Amino acid sequence: MSSEPAVGAPDLSAPEEFARFYRTHLPRVYGYLYRLCGNDQALAEDLAQDTWMALAREVQRGRHECADIRWLVTVARSRFLDHARHEQRRVRKLALIARNDSVSIRPRHTTY
């Protein structure tokens, strides 16, 4: 793969270009995640950070075509869905543990 940016794509390998791209698109990416996360600011910030780190990794690999708001929103949505799936698994596991604990905690009937 070429390390040159695609036609029309910014060269995000330059720190000042990455910073400009970040400042321009962060509000949209964060706002999208904030709404998806039910206005959970901390979660939206974490997922936005993951999204931007994914972009930085792709740019480092020479994939400058990823410097696109559509790509960022797609990655942001994927990060949110991954988080939601992880939370569902965690809740199911906790429910299973609670159910198993309540079964083992029941008092035993003893006969005298």
Side-chain angles (χ1 to χ4, degrees):
M1 261 194 159
S2 171
S3 63
E4 294 297 315
V7 175
D11 180 7
L12 299 186
S13 58
E16 56 280 347
E17 276 299 306
F18 192 94
R20 185 193 59 72
F21 187 81
Y22 176 81
R23 283 190 307 273
T24 300
H25 296 294
L26 176 63
R28 186 162 175 200
V29 172
Y30 173 76
Y32 176 71
L33 285 166
Y34 185 72
R35 289 185 301 279
L36 280 178
C37 295
N39 302 339
D40 182 334
Q41 183 179 354
L43 179 56
E45 288 172 356
D46 287 348
L47 295 176
Q49 179 179 344
D50 288 348
T51 300
W52 287 98
M53 290 302 298
L55 176 62
R57 282 190 298 276
E58 293 304 313
V59 168
Q60 195 172 34
R61 291 181 184 134
R63 296 200 54 224
H64 296 275
E65 69 275 10
C66 296
D68 182 272
I69 188 63
R70 294 167 296 186
W71 187 90
L72 286 168
V73 169
T74 299
V75 171
R77 182 178 56 242
S78 293
R79 295 297 192 266
F80 170 76
L81 291 173
D82 289 346
H83 171 78
R85 286 185 206 105
H86 176 75
E87 279 300 301
Q88 286 176 341
R89 283 191 303 272
R90 188 181 70 77
V91 167
R92 283 194 306 265
K93 286 178 184 176
L94 287 174
L96 182 60
I97 290 169
R99 188 173 63 216
N100 287 339
D101 284 349
S102 69
V103 169
S104 64
I105 294 175
R106 289 185 187 156
R108 296 180 183 212
H109 295 294
T110 57
T111 55
Y112 295 100

